[in-house]
Amino acid sequence: MVFIGAGEQPVVAMFNVSMIGHVNPTFPLVMELVGRGCKVHYFLPPNEDIRSAARDAGAVVEAYLKDDPQDLVLEQCGVDRMIPDLPEEEQQLWRGAVWPLASTLLCGDHLITRCRALGIQAVLYDPMAPHGLLVAHALRV
């Protein structure tokens, strides 16, 4: 458990995917948190339109990987290892189950290290981005 002292600025990490329907509803929350004195670090995949909107809302944009590779597509992580001969009707289910876990394995070490260095005290995440759950567990917040 993290305790925030009087006069201390709370530090929040947010995690999301590069999908407009997932990120757009979070921008009013970012603005509210920033307006109440929080520092919000928003971890987003490389999509400059979405990142720019997050910055406009008041967040500090963070990358999922250290060098912020511009070709990182979370939704493609692990999908190249699909089980051979998987029936067509099961392929979409398989993709939807694999990429959140594969991208969390790929990015997890960096995210934990970065959030620890930032002094993150609270974590918010979209259900499509289990990276936040991993960070919250690792940092015990």
Side-chain angles (χ1 to χ4, degrees):
M1 180 173 277
V2 177
F3 294 97
I4 300 169
E8 188 178 341
Q9 183 180 33
V11 184
V12 178
M14 293 181 69
F15 295 86
N16 217 326
V17 293
S18 188
M19 297 177 190
I20 291 172
H22 289 258
V23 295
N24 278 356
T26 68
F27 297 142
L29 176 59
V30 171
M31 293 182 338
E32 183 69 23
L33 288 169
V34 170
R36 290 177 180 237
C38 296
K39 181 147 192 171
V40 178
H41 293 269
Y42 207 149
F43 288 82
L44 291 164
N47 177 319
E48 192 47 43
D49 290 338
I50 290 174
R51 286 180 171 187
S52 178
R55 283 190 288 272
D56 289 348
V60 175
V61 172
E62 300 281 349
Y64 269 88
L65 290 171
K66 184 178 181 184
D67 296 327
D68 196 19
Q70 296 303 294
D71 62 346
L72 174 66
V73 180
L74 295 179
E75 299 84 11
Q76 293 299 314
C77 290
V79 298
D80 58 338
R81 298 179 183 190
M82 188 178 302
I83 300 167
D85 304 320
L86 190 65
E88 183 71 32
E89 62 273 8
E90 293 182 27
Q91 289 183 16
Q92 190 63 27
L93 291 172
W94 191 88
R95 283 186 192 97
V98 167
W99 76 259
L101 300 173
S103 66
T104 301
L105 288 171
L106 174 68
C107 304
D109 288 340
H110 166 70
L111 297 174
I112 293 167
T113 300
R114 181 70 181 136
C115 287
R116 188 170 281 130
L118 292 169
I120 296 300
Q121 299 163 311
V123 175
L124 304 171
Y125 62 94
D126 185 281
M128 296 282 290
H131 316 83
L133 180 61
L134 172 70
V135 168
H137 179 75
L139 273 54
R140 297 178 184 216
V141 296

